[in-house]
Amino acid sequence: MAELSFNVDHGYLEGLVRGMKAGILTRTDYHNLAQCDTLEDMKLHLQCTDYGKTLSSSEDDLTVSLVDSRLRDNLVAEFSCLRSNALPPLSTFLDYITYSYMIDNVVMLITGALKQRDVAELLPRCHPLGAFDQMAAVGIARTPTELYSAVLVDTPLAPFFQDAVSESNLDEMEAEILRNKLFKAYLESFHSFCKNIGGATKDIMCPVLEFEADRRAFIITVNSFGTDLSSADRSALYPACGELHPEGLRLLGRAQDAAQVKDVADCYPTYKIIFDEPEPGSGFKTLEDRFFEQEVKLNALAFLQQFHFGVFYSYIKLKEQESRNIVWIAECVTQRQKSKIHNYIPIFQGTEQ
């Protein structure tokens, strides 16, 4: 029944984001970018796409960091347009998207403060989608409890701190543990929210969030090898809303090396492909790149159904991957590494979208 009234409140924005998705770069665009010899050449080609004059309005010399900053500003402007016109529950859904950036900003500010970096230097490096009023005060906290009670209690991140509050002194290790605890609570809450909405939003978003939860579990496990993190502490960081829950997470918690992690992945077809050895001649890809590839495929599928919120999440994630691709090509161009320039992750395999 929800589909019958979906367009009343959300139809315009869904149509808008589907139109914006048509501007995502095609394989032909990437081929043309890979032929460029300078950043100015890339700028000229991007002017012929939906990016238009995004890179042209600056009087500064074009650098990779400037390209990255302008692409991010463009994404933030698009998201802000969608959020400012959204009605509940879509507005709440879009707010959930920003919470992951808030978590990253908080942890970056904590880590910067531990390294005696000036807050004024760190704030411009925070992602604009995760900005909140109390950001400048994050660096004064010395324990997670202090961070919660003095700074974050009035922010949207407060509910995610219930399992993260402790009296441990914040160091770089503790900051990463805090990030993973917050992401665990965030993903479980977002998954529950999408499940309660039901309909096509549940059908599209739950598998995407389950994949993200499982990815975090695999990455946490791999990164914990050779550290002081115990098996029990590691297991406490796994989001409990993925396909791996509960048996796969239990096996990951007991894993002692990369081979045992691969054994767990082999039990799940989706992850077996990611952990399998690449075919000869296919080129080297990191584990992170393989997860990104699978994420792109899941998000592209969101556009095959209508009357759901998943297209908003998927569009943001696809545009983020597009930005990473453009920055990768720009890095290869500036460093004259043309042999590696095609190691980006294409979003749409054909020229049509």
Side-chain angles (χ1 to χ4, degrees), residues 138-163:
V138 166
I140 66 172
R142 292 292 171 264
T143 68
T145 301
E146 192 177 319
L147 178 67
Y148 172 72
S149 59
V151 182
L152 299 180
V153 67
D154 294 325
T155 71
L157 295 184
F160 308 142
F161 256 85
Q162 293 176 358
D163 296 325

Side-chain angles (χ1 to χ4, degrees), residues 11-174:
Y12 167 69
L13 289 182
E14 187 191 5
L16 188 63
V17 82
R18 287 179 183 276
M20 290 156 65
K21 170 253 185 185
I24 288 177
L25 300 184
T26 63
R27 180 174 286 275
T28 303
D29 291 319
Y30 283 119
H31 178 75
N32 291 336
L33 288 173
Q35 302 303 311
C36 295
D37 294 320
T38 66
L39 293 184
E40 287 295 328
D41 293 342
M42 289 184 64
K43 181 177 80 171
L44 288 173
H45 177 72
L46 288 172
Q47 285 178 352
C48 302
T49 69
D50 272 22
Y51 285 105
K53 299 188 181 299
T54 299
L55 299 177
S56 305
S57 56
S58 173
E59 297 178 0
D60 300 326
D61 292 334
L62 203 57
T63 63
V64 176
S65 61
L66 181 61
V67 170
D68 189 24
S69 176
R70 289 305 172 86
L71 294 177
R72 186 174 67 176
D73 290 345
N74 185 72
L75 177 60
V76 170
E78 290 180 339
F79 180 87
S80 299
C81 172
L82 296 171
R83 177 61 186 87
S84 61
N85 288 283
L87 296 172
L90 176 57
S91 56
T92 306
F93 180 90
L94 295 177
D95 287 340
Y96 262 104
I97 295 177
T98 67
Y99 296 162
S100 63
Y101 302 101
M102 287 187 187
I103 294 171
D104 285 333
N105 286 349
V106 166
V107 174
M108 189 188 77
L109 289 169
I110 292 172
T111 306
L114 292 171
K115 295 180 178 178
Q116 310 300 317
R117 303 286 287 276
D118 187 9
V119 173
E121 177 190 348
L122 295 170
L123 286 177
R125 305 168 89 181
C126 292
H127 201 294
L129 286 182
F132 55 94
D133 295 338
Q134 300 90 335
M135 272 181 21
V138 166
I140 66 172
R142 292 292 171 264
T143 68
T145 301
E146 192 177 319
L147 178 67
Y148 172 72
S149 59
V151 182
L152 299 180
V153 67
D154 294 325
T155 71
L157 295 184
F160 308 142
F161 256 85
Q162 293 176 358
D163 296 325
V165 173
S166 73
E167 295 297 338
S168 306
N169 284 331
L170 280 170
D171 53 27
E172 288 190 47
M173 178 74 166
E174 189 66 31

